[in-house]
Amino acid sequence: MPKLLNPVWNEAKDPKANRYTFREPSPTVRADVRTLVGYAPKELCVAVLGEKGAPLKTPRSIVVAGGRTSPVTLVVAEGQQLQFDNQDPFPHKLYDVGNKGLQPVEIAASKSRAWTPPGPGKYEIRDQLAPSIRSWIVVEPRAVAIAYPDRQGNFAVEVEAGKYTLQGYFSGEPVGKPLEVVVKPGPDEQFIKEAVVVGEAGGPNAEPGK
């Protein structure tokens, strides 16, 4: 997970972006710790892929607050309704890059907006009023369930018995290597012995999928 860099923070460090800060790097803090890596519990989505997924009967919530969305990357089945909940004390005007269906309509403070992506694919969501907001919706027809790992990399999902593929998604793109798993009819708790690989060995890489 530490190999994944959020493109928003990675672009912000470019001097040409003119995003200045009063903070000064501390010489006592290691360089690798100062790297602005992605925050796995909201940015790394582990999707469980089966033969065919089905949308939830209730909308899946996406919280807009503090200049970001939670989660940042979300993988859903085709036909899944989303609900953007603005928890900031000011409005947001979300839209999708490429004009695929989400028009820039203002969401007032403490208000919500529902939207259903029109079909499979990747949707990049931005905000006309807050440039730091940049998130991704991936509509994957095979998505059965999703999970977000904690800081130690642990996660859990609840699925029926069967064969599945676990795939990590970061910044709207599949990352690492897919992992094939078999869920047996019992017991209720079954553990995966292999790790879900989401980043290659080596230094941090800013490009999704590598």
Side-chain angles (χ1 to χ4, degrees):
M1 295 186 299
K3 310 304 179 184
L4 304 176
L5 301 184
N6 183 289
V8 176
W9 312 135
N10 198 51
E11 293 170 1
K13 71 181 183 181
D14 186 353
K16 296 180 180 179
N18 295 326
R19 297 187 182 183
Y20 298 102
T21 176
F22 290 101
R23 295 180 179 179
E24 293 185 8
S26 172
T28 60
V29 178
R30 301 194 317 271
D32 61 314
V33 178
R34 294 200 299 265
T35 302
L36 296 176
V37 300
Y39 182 56
K42 65 188 297 182
E43 295 187 49
L44 178 58
C45 182
V46 179
V48 182
L49 308 179
E51 292 184 2
K52 184 174 178 57
L56 302 177
K57 296 181 179 180
T58 57
R60 188 174 287 277
S61 174
I62 300 176
V63 175
V64 185
R68 304 201 73 191
T69 63
S70 297
V72 174
T73 289
L74 176 63
V75 180
V76 297
E78 190 173 3
Q80 177 64 55
Q81 186 181 46
L82 309 174
Q83 180 171 296
F84 297 97
D85 298 315
N86 182 10
Q87 296 186 4
D88 278 327
F90 47 82
H92 287 283
K93 190 175 285 188
L94 303 179
Y95 68 97
D96 73 279
V97 177
N99 192 28
K100 298 178 181 178
L102 184 64
Q103 301 301 318
V105 177
E106 184 174 291
I107 309 174
S110 302
K111 297 295 183 179
S112 301
R113 178 187 180 187
W115 178 61
T116 301
K122 180 181 71 173
Y123 300 82
E124 182 178 345
I125 309 300
R126 296 201 183 191
D127 184 6
Q128 289 185 344
L129 306 179
S132 65
I133 290 182
R134 187 175 175 186
S135 60
W136 293 266
I137 312 288
V138 178
V139 179
E140 167 54 71
R142 298 181 299 150
V144 175
I146 59 172
Y148 291 87
D150 58 23
R151 293 185 178 184
Q152 287 72 45
N154 301 314
F155 65 91
V157 291
E158 186 174 342
V159 293
E160 300 291 335
K163 296 181 180 180
Y164 300 97
T165 300
L166 301 183
Q167 176 66 64
Y169 285 82
F170 183 80
S171 297
E173 295 286 348
V175 291
K177 303 175 182 178
L179 177 64
E180 304 294 332
V181 297
V182 176
V183 178
K184 301 177 181 179
D188 291 341
E189 284 192 349
Q190 300 176 39
F191 297 91
I192 303 172
K193 296 182 179 180
E194 296 182 63
V196 179
V197 179
V198 296
E200 300 296 338
N205 194 313
E207 300 180 36
K210 294 188 177 180

